[in-house]
Amino acid sequence: MASVKNLKKEINYVLGDILNIVYIWEMTSTGKPTESSEALVGDIYDTFDALMVKVNQKNVENKKAHYKLVKEEFEVAANQFVAKVNELN
């Protein structure tokens, strides 16, 4: 892991980009939010908050292993969100 700062930036940028894609889809397809897109946006925000809490934990015994697990969880979540975006109708 290069740094915690870079991990935070990566989480912020990637999840932010996925949010932008959802908002663009909403405006180009229906012109307004749908139930599925609103649920997806809520899930993205919840995941972001949960990941930031984990990244900012101070009482971790093995920091390297902890950050590795956080990064893996982030990658899985981002891939799931991209799959959900692709399934939007």
Side-chain angles (χ1 to χ4, degrees), residues 60-74:
V60 178
E61 290 183 24
N62 187 347
K63 288 186 178 191
K64 186 174 182 179
H66 174 72
Y67 291 128
K68 186 175 181 181
L69 288 175
V70 171
K71 183 163 177 75
E72 289 173 2
E73 182 179 342
F74 158 65

Side-chain angles (χ1 to χ4, degrees), residues 16-46:
D17 286 345
I18 295 171
L19 279 171
N20 285 336
I21 291 168
V22 173
Y23 290 139
I24 290 170
W25 176 85
E26 288 176 346
M27 293 302 119
T28 58
S29 64
T30 61
K32 59 183 178 180
T34 63
E35 288 183 23
S36 59
S37 65
E38 283 296 316
L40 182 56
V41 168
D43 289 344
I44 293 171
Y45 280 121
D46 292 342

Side-chain angles (χ1 to χ4, degrees), residues 47-66:
T47 301
F48 176 81
D49 292 340
L51 289 171
M52 285 298 126
V53 166
K54 289 180 182 181
V55 168
N56 291 323
Q57 283 181 342
K58 299 295 180 193
N59 56 351
V60 178
E61 290 183 24
N62 187 347
K63 288 186 178 191
K64 186 174 182 179
H66 174 72

Side-chain angles (χ1 to χ4, degrees), residues 1 3-11 55 70-71:
M1 176 77 38
S3 74
V4 175
K5 181 179 174 183
N6 288 339
L7 177 60
K8 289 180 182 181
K9 284 182 181 180
E10 184 178 357
I11 291 170
V55 168
V70 171
K71 183 163 177 75

